[in-house]
Structure formats: structure tokens, C-alpha cells
């Protein structure tokens, strides 16, 4: 009896203990309006729903107060319905799109679809804070581990010159550089996105056991998880969080000519005049540095160079030829500029080594005469005001159309660790280093938008950070080398950048440093090795969001390469003309970005469930219909190995590195391998031969064509032959239908510039192809705007072998539709 009583007593005590532990666990979190707060593993942890598909995680050492205002995130948490349930040690928060499990014992957080599919797990005990002295401020270095599935692929993290697409097994040290633009956002083939909201130097590393973000400085671990269902959906979540991409003017999608640098007003205007005389399309020209004079006047934002005596006339002359001008501005100032003299006494400059290092134009830099140039502090709103004040007065008032923001990372030369201790308006430079491009581009964008809505903002910039898509900026890949390997690197660099939720990207066509091709070839434009590389790069550039030819050492204007009737010249013209014929398609794809959070340069993995494209780094979709397979290996000339970088490239002794090659005719047909993704049939753009996907083919090529394939079910509009983007109305468009699957395309039109589209001043026409009935329906026009075409003609071609191929100009149409805005259907 006694033993039975003792046994029951022990059971009671055990049950009481279990109940007490359970009660303690149940009380171990606090529900909030956004999610929950709890203490895990000596940390304060908060889970906040920003929307049904986006959740924010904040972690900090227990009891340590901090204040965090994101530089990237603009979204405020929206009221989100969610439930909380606890089962054992696990608390589950569930919205209509996402389930988040918080393990109160291990501290691990895991993410699931509503259906229960596992998306991502933190590693157990995967959060780490290490004491760190940040220029006298007590803070932490932070580290977070995640566990990825063996078979998932991840992409993004900005632009890297690695030559690879997938980020699996990669170690990436993220500090902004000339040719590397880091954005701590990644997407997964499992349908989620992850944004690590930190601005200090950060290392991402993927190992077999875990993937991690490790940042030098962080008062807290702060990241956002978003479920998108696919890569497009995850990118849409990131833009919802950090801002939508506005429309660019139509003229930005034409052809742009540039070089380092036009040395006079007459030379600059003369280039535009020569293009008009030759009848070669051109929409823009760019004036590079030193229109301000010497290096002590660096970035004065004023025409102090006597070779530019009448800047207003220069701008007007360019405009009168129906072209546009953007101009180089920097993020640093010479000691004799007004900006420097106004900012320095206010502590608005950052005193570290930047470009140029000497006041004299010599290489190597003569350090006996330092330039004294210093970057400004864009984190300081007052400094951004001063920057715009001089930009507005010196350049914007002249009618210049856009800004080439060079060195926006910025150049950080002769790096010393103590440079990171420099004070900015928001703390140490170390703490906010990677967000420099976001702040400086944002400063110009916000000021210009406040000053005028008549002209859409267009900024060409060398660096980027999370959220920069909201500022009307197109990022170029920096001072990349002129080599075949560099060209190959650009494709995955652009695709990863695009999958970082920033849709506008481009490169220096031909590569920036080209001196190695000059040996024995004068200015280098007649060197077959450079000619072949340049044409192939140009053909790639025609299928990027901005087609812009630029570089040093070798001039890039078309007339330097020969004349009409010569192979290389004609190949260049053909490529530029092709770009212009696709403007209705490209401008509509741009609207798809603004309106539907789409992406223009699309890694094949975004659209095809095909294991062979998961790490494909040499093909992509441009828009949602055109498969581009650039020729990225030399076919006619030796593949010259060129070794230079953004620092050594300025050493003109490199001009002697090239080997002279024999004259080449470029008339032979060559071939290259192309993989056509599974899940679609494909039409050869040049022949309309239909080929089933899921196979690699051998494609014949010539110097004036690269492999292009159109996905079955596509509808593509082709515009008229023009000299500039707005020369002719789109009142007589060729509409090509590529059968084999149902298809849809929405043609977008507006006033081509200004922000009236935000007030609804635009129109859309949706084309639908029914494969079963072989019927094309042109839907009712929606919307209107000033100058809209009321009545127009659509010339319809059903793509079949030998008909409606390659360039426009055919009159062999299947149907011609007179369209007045009402729905019409035609059977083909």
C-alpha cells in the first residue's frame, strides 16, 4: 500500500513537473500584432509578417536594445491574418501563403508552404553574435546558418564575374567593387527568396552542411523570407518589399554610342551627325569625364574645359538631330570644386583613396602631385542636397537627358582597414559600406523627381544595392576586359543580377580595356581579332536592357570599322536594325516589369523545369519569347588571351600584348551548339524551322547572325525601320505568330516619356493565339493617352518555314487587319 502511494505520488510530481514545463513553454512567447516575440538561445527573437507571403526575422542578444531602420525596405508591415498554434516545443505561425515554425528549444526557424512542403530551415544553433568594436561603438559581427536541400539551386546576390550561374558551393565576399555589384538577395528553385538586410562587408558561403551569411557589423540579425512559388514570384516579393521599377523612356531602349572620351563639343556632336548622315539608327550619345577640365576640378558638374565652349548649344544640337545626351557624373570631388569647398567644412567628405590618384593625367599616377579627390557622404541628406544643387544648376538646367553615375560603388584604392573606421552620417563606413550606390543613386533620383515629372529619370550606374530598382537606374557591369572570357562571364553576371530583383543591366559592348588588340593595327578597329569579338559582343548587347557601345583604347563608332558593303560594317548595321525592329516587344516587356514585376533577361531555369538548364550560363530568354544563344567563342580568329583588370588596364604598355593575326574575310559559315529547353517547341528566328525542345543541336552561324529561337505559342510585334526610337508611329506593325501552343502578348504604348502613365495615360492591346482553332484574337484596346493611334494596321504572319523570317520588310502577310480599338479575330 505504501509503495503504491509512493508510486502514485511520484507520478503526480512528474505530471506536475511536466505540466509546469509545458506551461512555461506555453508562456515562452508573446503574440504581437505582426507575429510573435520570444527569447531563444540567449537571444531576443521577433517574427513579423509584412504580408501573407513575406516574413521578417529579427534577432539580437537578449536584453540589448537596438534601433534598425532599413535603407532598402520601403514597405510597411501590412495587417496580415495569421494563426498561432503550439505543439510541444514548436510554435507555428500560419498566414494564407506561408507557415513559419519556431522551435522554442533549439531556436531554429523553419519555413513551409501552406500545403506543408518544406522550403528552408535555419540550422540548429545557427545564429551567432560575436563582440565587435566598430570604430569605438560596441556592436557585433553576425552570422546565420541555413540548411539547403541537396538538389535545390540558388541564384542572385548581385553581379559576380565568376562565369557561373548557380551559387551552390560558392564563397562570395561581398564588398562593392568596380566589376562586382553585390545585392544580398537570393532566390531558390524551391520557390522562395531570402533577403539579408545588412550593409557591411558580408560573406556568403555554401557548404555541404550549411549555407551562411556572415557580416562584419550588425546590431541585429535581420532578414526577410518570402514565398513566391517560383523565381518570378520571389522577385515580385522582393520588389514589393523594396520598391517597384518605374518605366524608362522609350528612347533609352535604342542604340547608344560612347567611348572614353569625346574630347570636344565638336567631336561629340559630330558623332551624332555622322550617324544621321550614314542612316544608321542612334538614340543616344554619352559624354565621359573631364569636360570639367583638370583633375583638381574633378566632377565640378560644369563645362570648364575650353573644348566645350557652348554647352547649351551642344545639347540643343544633339536634340535637334533627335538624339539624347547623358553625361558622366561621379561620387567624388576635386579640391578646387565648389562642391568640395562647401562639403568639406561640414564633414561631408570621406577621406580615402579614390580615382583619380594624381592631379596629372599620367600612368602610373604621379603620387608627388596627389589629386586630393575625395568621395562624398551620400548617407547624409544634406550632402545629397548639395550634390543635386550643383547638378541641377550646372547640367540639368541645360536639358541633359540623364546621368552616367560612374564609380558609384565608389572606387576604393590603396585600401587600409582604418578606412572603414571613417565616420559617415549613419555610423562607420564599415557599417554601411555596401549601400553606398543605393544612397547616391537614390539622392539624384529623388531630387530630380521632385524637380520635374516631365522627363523620366534615367541613370546609368556602375554599382547597385538592394532596392535600387525603384530609382530609375540601369547598372552596367563595370570596366570589364576586352576578351572572350570576359564576354562569357557577362551572361551569368547579368542573369544573377536580374534575379536579384533589379531588372535593368548592360555592359560595355566590346569590353572596356581593348589596348591589347592595337599592336600593328593602328587604332585596332581593323584587327580581325577585335572585330570578331566586338561584333559578337554587340549581338549579345542587342538582347540586353540597354544596347550601349563603349570602351577605351579602340574607338567604337561604326564608321571606324569600314563602310557599307563591307562584312563587319554590315553586321553591325544588321544588329542595330534588329534591335530597333524589336522595340515594340522590348517596350512592352518593360511595362511587364513595371506592372507585373517581371524580368527582361531571364535565366532559362525561370521558365523551364529542365535539369539541363539549372546551371546554364551561355543562353537565356530575352522577354518571355526569344531564346538568345550568343556566340561566345572565337570562330574566325585565335582567341587572344588578354589579361588586364580595372586597375592595370590603364597601363598602355598592354597595347603590346596582342599578337598580329592574318587578314580574315569572315565569309565562311561556322557552327555552334545550342540547347533548346524541354517543355516547348522552338522556331529558328532566321529560318522558321520548327524544332522540338529537350535537345542540343548544331546551329550554322555567320558573322552577322547569332542563334535566336522563338518559343512556340509566342506573338511578337515588329516595328518599322527607323533612325531613332520615336521617328515613326507604330501604326503599321508586323505581328508574327509562332504556332504550336496557345499564346498571349500585350502590346503597351504611352507618351514615351514623362510620368503620365502613373495617372493611367497609357493603352494596352492583348493578342491571343488559340492553337486548336488557329485563331488570333486582337482584344479590345484598354486605356488611352494623348497622341494615341486611333486607327492602325496589323500585318499578320503565321511563322512557317521560309516565311516571315529574320528581319522585317516582307509583304508576304497572311492577313492584314484594320484595327480601331475594337476586338477582332482572324483565322490563320
Amino acid at each position: 500500500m505504501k509503495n503504491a502511494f509512493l508510486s502514485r505520488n511520484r507520478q503526480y510530481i512528474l505530471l506536475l513537473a511536466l505540466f509546469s514545463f509545458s506551461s512555461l513553454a506555453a508562456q515562452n512567447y508573446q503574440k504581437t500584432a505582426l507575429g510573435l516575440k520570444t527569447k531563444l538561445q540567449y537571444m531576443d527573437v521577433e517574427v513579423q509578417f509584412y504580408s501573407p507571403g513575406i516574413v521578417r526575422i529579427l534577432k539580437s542578444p537578449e536584453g540589448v536594445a537596438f534601433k534598425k531602420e532599413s535603407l532598402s525596405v520601403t514597405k510597411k508591415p501590412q495587417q496580415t491574418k495569421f494563426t498561432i498554434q503550439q505543439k510541444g516545443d514548436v510554435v507555428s505561425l500560419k498566414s494564407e501563403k506561408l507557415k513559419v515554425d519556431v522551435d522554442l528549444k533549439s531556436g531554429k526557424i523553419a519555413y513551409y508552404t501552406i500545403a506543408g512542403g518544406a522550403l528552408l530551415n535555419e540550422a540548429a544553433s545557427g545564429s551567432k553574435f560575436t563582440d565587435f568594436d566598430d570604430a569605438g561603438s560596441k556592436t557585433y559581427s553576425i552570422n546565420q546558418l541555413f540548411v539547403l536541400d541537396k538538389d535545390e539551386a540558388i541564384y542572385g546576390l548581385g553581379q559576380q564575374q565568376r562565369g557561373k550561374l548557380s551559387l551552390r558551393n560558392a564563397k562570395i565576399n561581398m564588398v562593392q567593387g568596380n566589376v562586382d555589384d553585390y545585392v544580398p538577395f537570393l532566390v531558390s528553385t524551391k520557390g522562395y527568396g531570402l533577403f539579408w538586410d545588412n550593409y557591411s562587408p558580408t560573406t556568403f558561403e555554401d557548404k555541404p552542411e550549411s549555407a551562411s551569411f556572415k557580416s562584419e557589423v550588425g546590431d541585429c540579425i535581420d532578414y526577410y523570407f518570402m514565398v513566391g512559388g517560383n523565381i518570378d514570384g520571389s522577385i515580385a516579393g522582393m520588389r514589393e518589399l523594396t520598391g517597384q521599377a518605374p518605366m524608362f523612356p522609350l528612347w533609352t531602349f535604342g542604340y547608344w554610342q560612347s567611348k572614353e572620351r569625346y574630347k570636344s563639343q565638336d567631336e561629340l556632336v559630330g558623332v551624332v551627325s555622322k550617324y544621321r548622315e550614314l542612316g544608321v539608327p542612334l538614340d543616344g550619345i554619352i559624354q565621359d569625364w573631364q569636360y570639367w577640365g583638370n583633375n583638381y576640378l574633378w566632377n565640378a558638374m560644369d563645362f570648364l574645359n575650353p573644348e566645350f565652349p557652348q554647352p547649351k548649344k551642344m545639347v540643343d544640337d544633339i536634340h535637334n538631330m533627335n538624339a539624347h545626351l547623358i553625361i558622366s557624373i561621379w561620387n567624388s570631388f576635386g579640391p578646387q570644386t565648389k562642391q568640395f569647398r562647401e562639403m568639406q567644412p561640414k564633414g561631408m567628405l570621406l577621406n580615402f583613396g579614390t580615382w583619380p590618384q594624381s592631379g596629372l593625367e599620367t600612368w602610373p599616377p604621379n603620387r608627388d602631385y596627389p589629386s586630393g579627390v575625395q568621395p562624398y557622404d551620400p548617407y547624409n541628406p544634406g550632402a545629397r542636397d548639395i550634390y543635386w544643387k550643383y547638378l541641377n544648376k550646372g547640367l540639368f538646367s541645360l536639358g541633359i537627358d540623364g546621368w552616367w553615375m560612374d564609380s558609384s560603388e565608389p572606387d576604393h584604392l590603396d585600401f587600409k582597414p582604418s578606412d572603414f573606421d571613417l565616420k559617415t552620417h549613419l555610423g562607420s563606413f564599415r557599417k554601411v559600406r555596401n549601400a553606398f550606390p543605393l544612397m547616391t543613386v537614390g539622392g539624384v533620383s529623388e531630387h530630380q523627381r521632385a524637380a520635374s515629372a516631365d522627363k523620366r529619370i534615367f541613370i546609368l550606374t556602375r554599382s547597385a544595392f538592394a532596392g535600387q530598382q525603384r530609382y530609375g537606374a540601369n547598372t552596367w557591369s563595370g570596366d570589364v576586359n576586352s576578351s572572350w572570357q570576359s564576354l562569357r562571364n557577362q551572361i551569368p553576371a547579368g542573369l544573377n543580377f536580374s534575379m536579384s530583383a533589379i531588372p535593368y543591366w548592360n555592359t560595355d559592348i566590346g569590353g572596356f580595356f581593348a589596348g591589347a588588340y592595337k599592336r600593328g593595327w593602328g587604332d585596332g578597329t581593323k584587327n580581325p581579332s577585335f572585330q570578331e569579338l566586338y561584333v559578337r559582343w554587340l549581338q549579345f548587347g542587342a538582347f540586353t536592357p540597354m544596347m550601349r557601345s563603349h570602351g577605351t583604347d579602340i574607338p567604337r563608332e561604326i564608321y571606324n570599322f569600314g563602310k557599307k558593303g563591307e562584312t563587319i560594317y554590315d553586321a553591325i548595321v544588321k544588329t542595330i536594325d534588329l534591335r530597333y525592329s524589336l522595340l515594340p516587344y522590348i517596350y512592352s516587356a518593360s511595362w511587364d516589369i513595371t506592372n507585373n514585376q517581371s524580368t527582361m533577361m531571364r535565366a532559362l531555369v525561370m521558365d523551364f523545369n529542365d535539369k539541363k538548364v539549372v546551371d546554364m550560363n551561355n543562353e537565356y530568354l530575352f522577354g518571355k519569347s526569344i531564346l538568345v544563344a550568343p556566340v561566345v567563342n572565337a570562330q574566325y580568329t585565335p582567341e587572344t588571351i588578354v589579361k588586364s583588370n580595372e586597375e592595370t588596364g590603364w597601363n598602355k604598355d598592354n597595347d603590346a600584348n596582342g599578337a598580329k593575326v592574318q587578314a580574315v574575310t569572315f565569309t565562311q559559315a561556322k557552327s555552334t551548339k545550342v540547347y533548346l529547353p524541354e517543355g516547348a517547341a522552338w522556331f529558328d528566328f532566321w529560318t522558321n524551322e520548327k524544332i522540338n525542345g529537350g535537345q542540343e543541336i548544331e546551329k550554322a552561324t555567320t558573322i552577322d547572325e547569332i542563334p535566336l529561337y522563338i518559343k512556340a505559342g509566342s506573338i511578337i510585334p515588329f516595328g518599322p525601320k527607323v533612325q531613332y526610337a520615336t521617328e515613326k508611329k507604330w501604326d503599321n506593325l508586323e505581328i508574327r505568330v509562332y504556332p504550336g501552343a496557345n499564346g498571349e502578348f500585350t502590346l503597351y504604348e504611352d507618351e514615351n516619356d514623362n510620368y503620365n502613365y502613373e495617372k493611367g495615360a497609357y493603352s494596352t492591346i492583348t493578342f491571343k493565339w488559340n492553337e486548336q482553332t488557329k485563331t488570333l484574337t486582337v482584344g479590345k484596346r484598354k486605356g488611352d493617352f494623348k497622341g494615341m493611334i486611333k486607327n492602325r494596321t496589323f500585318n499578320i504572319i503565321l511563322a512557317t518555314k521560309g516565311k516571315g523570317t529574320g528581319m522585317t520588310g516582307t509583304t508576304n502577310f497572311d492577313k492584314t487587319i484594320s484595327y480601331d480599338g475594337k476586338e477582332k479575330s482572324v483565322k490563320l
Side-chain angles (χ1 to χ4, degrees), residues 90-122:
V90 176
V91 178
S92 296
L93 299 88
K94 188 184 286 189
S95 72
E96 65 184 46
K97 292 186 178 179
L98 177 65
K99 184 167 84 84
V100 183
D101 281 359
V102 182
D103 190 318
L104 300 177
K105 189 174 182 181
S106 69
K108 184 177 75 171
I109 300 177
Y111 305 91
Y112 302 86
T113 65
I114 284 303
L119 294 170
L120 178 68
N121 290 339
E122 292 184 351

mmCIF file of all heavy atoms in Angstrom, residues 90-122:
data_model
loop_
_atom_site.group_PDB
_atom_site.id
_atom_site.type_symbol
_atom_site.label_atom_id
_atom_site.label_comp_id
_atom_site.label_asym_id
_atom_site.label_seq_id
_atom_site.Cartn_x
_atom_site.Cartn_y
_atom_site.Cartn_z
ATOM 1 N N VAL A 90 7.345 23.435 -30.508
ATOM 2 C CA VAL A 90 7.270 24.165 -31.771
ATOM 3 C C VAL A 90 6.019 25.042 -31.823
ATOM 4 O O VAL A 90 4.899 24.565 -31.613
ATOM 5 C CB VAL A 90 7.283 23.204 -32.972
ATOM 6 C CG1 VAL A 90 7.116 23.966 -34.277
ATOM 7 C CG2 VAL A 90 8.587 22.397 -32.997
ATOM 8 N N VAL A 91 6.236 26.323 -32.092
ATOM 9 C CA VAL A 91 5.138 27.264 -32.305
ATOM 10 C C VAL A 91 5.032 27.520 -33.805
ATOM 11 O O VAL A 91 6.025 27.863 -34.454
ATOM 12 C CB VAL A 91 5.382 28.586 -31.559
ATOM 13 C CG1 VAL A 91 4.242 29.570 -31.828
ATOM 14 C CG2 VAL A 91 5.512 28.347 -30.069
ATOM 15 N N SER A 92 3.835 27.334 -34.346
ATOM 16 C CA SER A 92 3.611 27.517 -35.781
ATOM 17 C C SER A 92 2.776 28.763 -36.027
ATOM 18 O O SER A 92 1.705 28.918 -35.430
ATOM 19 C CB SER A 92 2.900 26.299 -36.376
ATOM 20 O OG SER A 92 3.711 25.152 -36.277
ATOM 21 N N LEU A 93 3.284 29.643 -36.900
ATOM 22 C CA LEU A 93 2.528 30.809 -37.360
ATOM 23 C C LEU A 93 2.132 30.543 -38.802
ATOM 24 O O LEU A 93 2.970 30.144 -39.618
ATOM 25 C CB LEU A 93 3.363 32.086 -37.291
ATOM 26 C CG LEU A 93 3.885 32.531 -35.925
ATOM 27 C CD1 LEU A 93 5.240 31.891 -35.626
ATOM 28 C CD2 LEU A 93 4.021 34.048 -35.868
ATOM 29 N N LYS A 94 0.876 30.756 -39.110
ATOM 30 C CA LYS A 94 0.397 30.422 -40.443
ATOM 31 C C LYS A 94 -0.433 31.570 -41.009
ATOM 32 O O LYS A 94 -1.402 32.017 -40.397
ATOM 33 C CB LYS A 94 -0.450 29.149 -40.387
ATOM 34 C CG LYS A 94 -0.846 28.607 -41.765
ATOM 35 C CD LYS A 94 -1.763 27.390 -41.653
ATOM 36 C CE LYS A 94 -1.002 26.161 -41.227
ATOM 37 N NZ LYS A 94 -1.857 24.937 -41.325
ATOM 38 N N SER A 95 -0.013 32.060 -42.201
ATOM 39 C CA SER A 95 -0.809 33.018 -42.955
ATOM 40 C C SER A 95 -1.472 32.250 -44.097
ATOM 41 O O SER A 95 -1.360 31.024 -44.175
ATOM 42 C CB SER A 95 0.080 34.133 -43.513
ATOM 43 O OG SER A 95 0.880 33.640 -44.574
ATOM 44 N N GLU A 96 -2.091 32.968 -45.007
ATOM 45 C CA GLU A 96 -2.737 32.262 -46.124
ATOM 46 C C GLU A 96 -1.743 31.755 -47.153
ATOM 47 O O GLU A 96 -2.098 30.988 -48.040
ATOM 48 C CB GLU A 96 -3.764 33.171 -46.800
ATOM 49 C CG GLU A 96 -3.168 34.388 -47.471
ATOM 50 C CD GLU A 96 -4.209 35.333 -48.044
ATOM 51 O OE1 GLU A 96 -5.181 35.632 -47.342
ATOM 52 O OE2 GLU A 96 -4.021 35.767 -49.199
ATOM 53 N N LYS A 97 -0.463 32.165 -47.036
ATOM 54 C CA LYS A 97 0.534 31.741 -48.020
ATOM 55 C C LYS A 97 1.743 31.017 -47.428
ATOM 56 O O LYS A 97 2.518 30.415 -48.172
ATOM 57 C CB LYS A 97 1.047 32.958 -48.813
ATOM 58 C CG LYS A 97 0.016 33.591 -49.730
ATOM 59 C CD LYS A 97 0.659 34.685 -50.569
ATOM 60 C CE LYS A 97 -0.364 35.293 -51.532
ATOM 61 N NZ LYS A 97 0.255 36.377 -52.334
ATOM 62 N N LEU A 98 1.923 31.077 -46.128
ATOM 63 C CA LEU A 98 3.206 30.676 -45.556
ATOM 64 C C LEU A 98 3.020 30.149 -44.140
ATOM 65 O O LEU A 98 2.210 30.673 -43.377
ATOM 66 C CB LEU A 98 4.136 31.897 -45.562
ATOM 67 C CG LEU A 98 5.521 31.795 -44.956
ATOM 68 C CD1 LEU A 98 6.387 30.807 -45.733
ATOM 69 C CD2 LEU A 98 6.196 33.176 -44.967
ATOM 70 N N LYS A 99 3.786 29.103 -43.793
ATOM 71 C CA LYS A 99 3.832 28.611 -42.416
ATOM 72 C C LYS A 99 5.248 28.751 -41.890
ATOM 73 O O LYS A 99 6.211 28.370 -42.571
ATOM 74 C CB LYS A 99 3.384 27.156 -42.331
ATOM 75 C CG LYS A 99 3.320 26.623 -40.891
ATOM 76 C CD LYS A 99 2.570 25.299 -40.810
ATOM 77 C CE LYS A 99 3.463 24.105 -41.119
ATOM 78 N NZ LYS A 99 4.222 23.659 -39.943
ATOM 79 N N VAL A 100 5.376 29.308 -40.690
ATOM 80 C CA VAL A 100 6.672 29.513 -40.058
ATOM 81 C C VAL A 100 6.679 28.762 -38.733
ATOM 82 O O VAL A 100 5.810 28.987 -37.884
ATOM 83 C CB VAL A 100 6.947 31.014 -39.801
ATOM 84 C CG1 VAL A 100 8.331 31.210 -39.205
ATOM 85 C CG2 VAL A 100 6.797 31.818 -41.084
ATOM 86 N N ASP A 101 7.621 27.857 -38.556
ATOM 87 C CA ASP A 101 7.763 27.108 -37.308
ATOM 88 C C ASP A 101 8.935 27.654 -36.515
ATOM 89 O O ASP A 101 10.056 27.787 -37.041
ATOM 90 C CB ASP A 101 8.008 25.626 -37.585
ATOM 91 C CG ASP A 101 6.741 24.875 -37.943
ATOM 92 O OD1 ASP A 101 5.668 25.520 -37.946
ATOM 93 O OD2 ASP A 101 6.823 23.660 -38.219
ATOM 94 N N VAL A 102 8.693 27.959 -35.245
ATOM 95 C CA VAL A 102 9.737 28.421 -34.337
ATOM 96 C C VAL A 102 9.919 27.360 -33.267
ATOM 97 O O VAL A 102 8.982 27.063 -32.511
ATOM 98 C CB VAL A 102 9.363 29.770 -33.699
ATOM 99 C CG1 VAL A 102 10.479 30.257 -32.786
ATOM 100 C CG2 VAL A 102 9.061 30.816 -34.772
ATOM 101 N N ASP A 103 11.098 26.755 -33.216
ATOM 102 C CA ASP A 103 11.398 25.737 -32.210
ATOM 103 C C ASP A 103 11.905 26.436 -30.957
ATOM 104 O O ASP A 103 13.002 27.010 -30.958
ATOM 105 C CB ASP A 103 12.447 24.765 -32.758
ATOM 106 C CG ASP A 103 12.632 23.545 -31.864
ATOM 107 O OD1 ASP A 103 12.654 23.716 -30.633
ATOM 108 O OD2 ASP A 103 12.749 22.429 -32.400
ATOM 109 N N LEU A 104 11.082 26.421 -29.903
ATOM 110 C CA LEU A 104 11.421 27.155 -28.686
ATOM 111 C C LEU A 104 12.590 26.541 -27.931
ATOM 112 O O LEU A 104 13.151 27.177 -27.043
ATOM 113 C CB LEU A 104 10.201 27.233 -27.773
ATOM 114 C CG LEU A 104 8.973 27.934 -28.357
ATOM 115 C CD1 LEU A 104 7.803 27.873 -27.384
ATOM 116 C CD2 LEU A 104 9.289 29.372 -28.717
ATOM 117 N N LYS A 105 12.934 25.319 -28.282
ATOM 118 C CA LYS A 105 14.038 24.644 -27.578
ATOM 119 C C LYS A 105 15.368 24.871 -28.285
ATOM 120 O O LYS A 105 16.348 25.299 -27.680
ATOM 121 C CB LYS A 105 13.745 23.144 -27.484
ATOM 122 C CG LYS A 105 14.722 22.383 -26.593
ATOM 123 C CD LYS A 105 14.274 20.944 -26.430
ATOM 124 C CE LYS A 105 15.207 20.180 -25.505
ATOM 125 N NZ LYS A 105 14.797 18.759 -25.363
ATOM 126 N N SER A 106 15.390 24.605 -29.589
ATOM 127 C CA SER A 106 16.652 24.722 -30.335
ATOM 128 C C SER A 106 16.888 26.124 -30.867
ATOM 129 O O SER A 106 18.008 26.480 -31.229
ATOM 130 C CB SER A 106 16.666 23.736 -31.507
ATOM 131 O OG SER A 106 15.723 24.129 -32.496
ATOM 132 N N GLY A 107 15.821 26.913 -30.982
ATOM 133 C CA GLY A 107 15.939 28.250 -31.556
ATOM 134 C C GLY A 107 15.836 28.270 -33.057
ATOM 135 O O GLY A 107 15.892 29.332 -33.685
ATOM 136 N N LYS A 108 15.649 27.108 -33.673
ATOM 137 C CA LYS A 108 15.622 27.001 -35.128
ATOM 138 C C LYS A 108 14.280 27.489 -35.678
ATOM 139 O O LYS A 108 13.234 27.223 -35.112
ATOM 140 C CB LYS A 108 15.843 25.541 -35.538
ATOM 141 C CG LYS A 108 15.931 25.313 -37.025
ATOM 142 C CD LYS A 108 16.233 23.857 -37.349
ATOM 143 C CE LYS A 108 15.011 22.986 -37.153
ATOM 144 N NZ LYS A 108 15.208 21.612 -37.671
ATOM 145 N N ILE A 109 14.331 28.201 -36.816
ATOM 146 C CA ILE A 109 13.122 28.645 -37.518
ATOM 147 C C ILE A 109 13.078 27.934 -38.864
ATOM 148 O O ILE A 109 14.099 27.806 -39.547
ATOM 149 C CB ILE A 109 13.112 30.173 -37.694
ATOM 150 C CG1 ILE A 109 13.148 30.866 -36.324
ATOM 151 C CG2 ILE A 109 11.890 30.632 -38.478
ATOM 152 C CD1 ILE A 109 13.221 32.377 -36.375
ATOM 153 N N ALA A 110 11.893 27.438 -39.233
ATOM 154 C CA ALA A 110 11.730 26.707 -40.491
ATOM 155 C C ALA A 110 10.525 27.264 -41.242
ATOM 156 O O ALA A 110 9.572 27.776 -40.628
ATOM 157 C CB ALA A 110 11.556 25.211 -40.225
ATOM 158 N N TYR A 111 10.575 27.140 -42.573
ATOM 159 C CA TYR A 111 9.560 27.733 -43.443
ATOM 160 C C TYR A 111 8.943 26.663 -44.331
ATOM 161 O O TYR A 111 9.651 25.809 -44.885
ATOM 162 C CB TYR A 111 10.189 28.834 -44.305
ATOM 163 C CG TYR A 111 10.888 29.886 -43.484
ATOM 164 C CD1 TYR A 111 12.242 29.766 -43.165
ATOM 165 C CD2 TYR A 111 10.187 30.970 -42.970
ATOM 166 C CE1 TYR A 111 12.884 30.703 -42.388
ATOM 167 C CE2 TYR A 111 10.818 31.927 -42.192
ATOM 168 C CZ TYR A 111 12.162 31.782 -41.900
ATOM 169 O OH TYR A 111 12.790 32.716 -41.112
ATOM 170 N N TYR A 112 7.614 26.753 -44.488
ATOM 171 C CA TYR A 112 6.874 25.755 -45.251
ATOM 172 C C TYR A 112 5.812 26.434 -46.106
ATOM 173 O O TYR A 112 5.335 27.530 -45.787
ATOM 174 C CB TYR A 112 6.167 24.756 -44.316
ATOM 175 C CG TYR A 112 7.080 24.031 -43.375
ATOM 176 C CD1 TYR A 112 7.433 24.599 -42.140
ATOM 177 C CD2 TYR A 112 7.597 22.783 -43.705
ATOM 178 C CE1 TYR A 112 8.283 23.931 -41.271
ATOM 179 C CE2 TYR A 112 8.436 22.101 -42.829
ATOM 180 C CZ TYR A 112 8.780 22.682 -41.622
ATOM 181 O OH TYR A 112 9.615 22.023 -40.753
ATOM 182 N N THR A 113 5.433 25.750 -47.187
ATOM 183 C CA THR A 113 4.252 26.176 -47.921
ATOM 184 C C THR A 113 3.023 25.865 -47.075
ATOM 185 O O THR A 113 3.091 25.098 -46.102
ATOM 186 C CB THR A 113 4.126 25.439 -49.263
ATOM 187 O OG1 THR A 113 3.916 24.044 -48.994
ATOM 188 C CG2 THR A 113 5.373 25.613 -50.114
ATOM 189 N N ILE A 114 1.889 26.426 -47.440
ATOM 190 C CA ILE A 114 0.645 26.139 -46.723
ATOM 191 C C ILE A 114 0.298 24.653 -46.802
ATOM 192 O O ILE A 114 -0.278 24.079 -45.881
ATOM 193 C CB ILE A 114 -0.501 27.006 -47.284
ATOM 194 C CG1 ILE A 114 -0.339 28.424 -46.767
ATOM 195 C CG2 ILE A 114 -1.858 26.487 -46.908
ATOM 196 C CD1 ILE A 114 -0.293 28.543 -45.260
ATOM 197 N N ALA A 115 0.687 24.023 -47.904
ATOM 198 C CA ALA A 115 0.415 22.592 -48.061
ATOM 199 C C ALA A 115 1.367 21.728 -47.245
ATOM 200 O O ALA A 115 1.221 20.510 -47.212
ATOM 201 C CB ALA A 115 0.507 22.212 -49.535
ATOM 202 N N GLY A 116 2.350 22.358 -46.589
ATOM 203 C CA GLY A 116 3.275 21.614 -45.741
ATOM 204 C C GLY A 116 4.599 21.284 -46.389
ATOM 205 O O GLY A 116 5.437 20.607 -45.786
ATOM 206 N N GLY A 117 4.818 21.755 -47.628
ATOM 207 C CA GLY A 117 6.101 21.494 -48.289
ATOM 208 C C GLY A 117 7.231 22.285 -47.657
ATOM 209 O O GLY A 117 7.116 23.494 -47.443
ATOM 210 N N ALA A 118 8.333 21.597 -47.329
ATOM 211 C CA ALA A 118 9.472 22.258 -46.686
ATOM 212 C C ALA A 118 10.164 23.187 -47.679
ATOM 213 O O ALA A 118 10.443 22.807 -48.813
ATOM 214 C CB ALA A 118 10.452 21.228 -46.163
ATOM 215 N N LEU A 119 10.430 24.416 -47.252
ATOM 216 C CA LEU A 119 11.103 25.396 -48.099
ATOM 217 C C LEU A 119 12.536 25.640 -47.644
ATOM 218 O O LEU A 119 13.483 25.471 -48.404
ATOM 219 C CB LEU A 119 10.318 26.707 -48.109
ATOM 220 C CG LEU A 119 8.935 26.651 -48.768
ATOM 221 C CD1 LEU A 119 8.155 27.935 -48.505
ATOM 222 C CD2 LEU A 119 9.067 26.417 -50.272
ATOM 223 N N LEU A 120 12.715 26.050 -46.397
ATOM 224 C CA LEU A 120 14.046 26.385 -45.894
ATOM 225 C C LEU A 120 14.060 26.227 -44.380
ATOM 226 O O LEU A 120 13.085 26.548 -43.714
ATOM 227 C CB LEU A 120 14.404 27.828 -46.266
ATOM 228 C CG LEU A 120 15.763 28.350 -45.778
ATOM 229 C CD1 LEU A 120 16.916 27.640 -46.489
ATOM 230 C CD2 LEU A 120 15.881 29.862 -45.987
ATOM 231 N N ASN A 121 15.182 25.738 -43.847
ATOM 232 C CA ASN A 121 15.390 25.640 -42.401
ATOM 233 C C ASN A 121 16.615 26.443 -42.003
ATOM 234 O O ASN A 121 17.619 26.452 -42.716
ATOM 235 C CB ASN A 121 15.654 24.184 -41.970
ATOM 236 C CG ASN A 121 14.433 23.309 -42.089
ATOM 237 O OD1 ASN A 121 13.316 23.802 -42.119
ATOM 238 N ND2 ASN A 121 14.660 22.009 -42.166
ATOM 239 N N GLU A 122 16.526 27.104 -40.871
ATOM 240 C CA GLU A 122 17.752 27.534 -40.213
ATOM 241 C C GLU A 122 18.432 26.305 -39.627
ATOM 242 O O GLU A 122 17.770 25.317 -39.291
ATOM 243 C CB GLU A 122 17.445 28.512 -39.077
ATOM 244 C CG GLU A 122 16.918 29.850 -39.517
ATOM 245 C CD GLU A 122 16.732 30.804 -38.345
ATOM 246 O OE1 GLU A 122 16.856 30.363 -37.176
ATOM 247 O OE2 GLU A 122 16.454 31.971 -38.600
#
